[in-house]
Amino acid sequence: MYTRLLLLPMLAAPFSLTAQDSTARALTPFRRGQWATQFAIGSGFTSLGFLKFRSPTRALVFDLQLGGGHRERLIEDSTGSHFLGLDSEAFTQVRFGWRGYRGSATKVVAHYTIGVRAGFDHNAGTGLGSSVEYNTWTGGVFGDLGATYLVTPQLGLGVLGSAGLSYLSGTQRGEQQNGTVTKSRSWQIGGSAVAASLVATLFF
């Protein structure tokens, strides 16, 4: 009799676990094989990403970030407008990683992402007959933490915070007004603080 009482909870355990897993899956409306596209806008950059779900709570993430700007410096006096110089910058970054989702009883799903990234930065400036150019290549790891509100089963709006650790290798080339050219190389290991962005996701 005592042995039978011990066996009853063991026999019931698989059914209990199945029920819990079914509930967890119901709280995450995604499915294996599903695709999604995400658009992010942050401080000085925009990104386009793609997600491939491997399970209701796991997805592969591929993300491309782009950013840049251009500025011209002018001065005006009694003789008119005079060009002083210009500054331009552009960067691109590719990220690849795993994302985990956690559902809730509401339409909000929390998620985190870990992965690797690689990028290229370009900065250039001219003025007073001289010019300088910087090129930097980066590689490293990153982590994201965010939440998405499912407006509909096909549309999600959310926020995302990102941080990372990178190795940077750069070159600098400068040219003076007298024709003198200088070149240099540098490297460093650095981390990026948490950067927030707004994200819209389309699920297919």
Side-chain angles (χ1 to χ4, degrees):
M1 182 65 179
Y2 182 71
T3 303
R4 291 179 181 179
L5 291 175
L6 287 178
L7 288 175
L8 285 175
M10 296 176 63
L11 292 173
F15 297 99
S16 176
L17 292 176
T18 301
Q20 292 177 7
D21 182 68
S22 176
T23 302
R25 285 173 178 266
L27 296 178
T28 305
F30 313 123
R31 65 184 186 278
R32 178 181 173 84
Q34 185 174 7
W35 284 88
T37 302
Q38 66 176 21
F39 306 89
I41 300 177
S43 177
F45 75 88
T46 58
S47 72
L48 171 63
F50 299 93
L51 289 82
K52 173 68 171 181
F53 283 87
R54 308 302 296 173
S55 76
T57 58
R58 296 282 183 178
L60 289 171
V61 179
F62 175 81
D63 190 57
L64 175 64
Q65 292 185 355
L66 299 172
H70 178 81
R71 182 183 65 178
E72 293 187 356
R73 300 190 301 274
L74 302 173
I75 187 172
E76 294 186 1
D77 56 23
S78 59
T79 61
S81 179
H82 304 278
F83 176 76
L84 292 180
L86 61 84
D87 300 291
S88 64
E89 61 178 346
F91 79 87
T92 180
Q93 180 175 252
V94 177
R95 309 193 311 166
F96 179 78
W98 275 99
R99 174 169 294 180
Y101 284 90
R102 183 180 181 86
S104 66
T106 66
K107 292 185 177 182
V108 177
V109 289
H111 49 81
Y112 66 91
T113 311
I114 55 174
V116 295
R117 64 181 182 179
F120 174 74
D121 292 15
H122 171 78
N123 292 270
T126 63
L128 301 177
S130 62
S131 64
V132 63
E133 179 179 305
Y134 302 90
N135 292 306
T136 305
W137 295 264
T138 63
V141 296
F142 74 94
D144 289 344
L145 187 63
T148 299
Y149 176 76
L150 299 175
V151 181
T152 70
Q154 290 76 38
L155 173 63
L157 301 177
V159 293
L160 190 69
S162 302
L165 182 66
S166 298
Y167 170 81
L168 296 84
S169 176
T171 61
Q172 175 183 337
R173 183 183 185 279
E175 184 173 351
Q176 304 299 319
Q177 189 173 10
N178 59 9
T180 302
V181 176
T182 59
K183 296 181 179 180
S184 64
R185 293 180 177 273
S186 61
W187 68 270
Q188 70 178 70
I189 296 176
S192 59
V194 175
S197 58
L198 302 177
V199 183
T201 308
L202 297 176
F203 301 93
F204 304 100

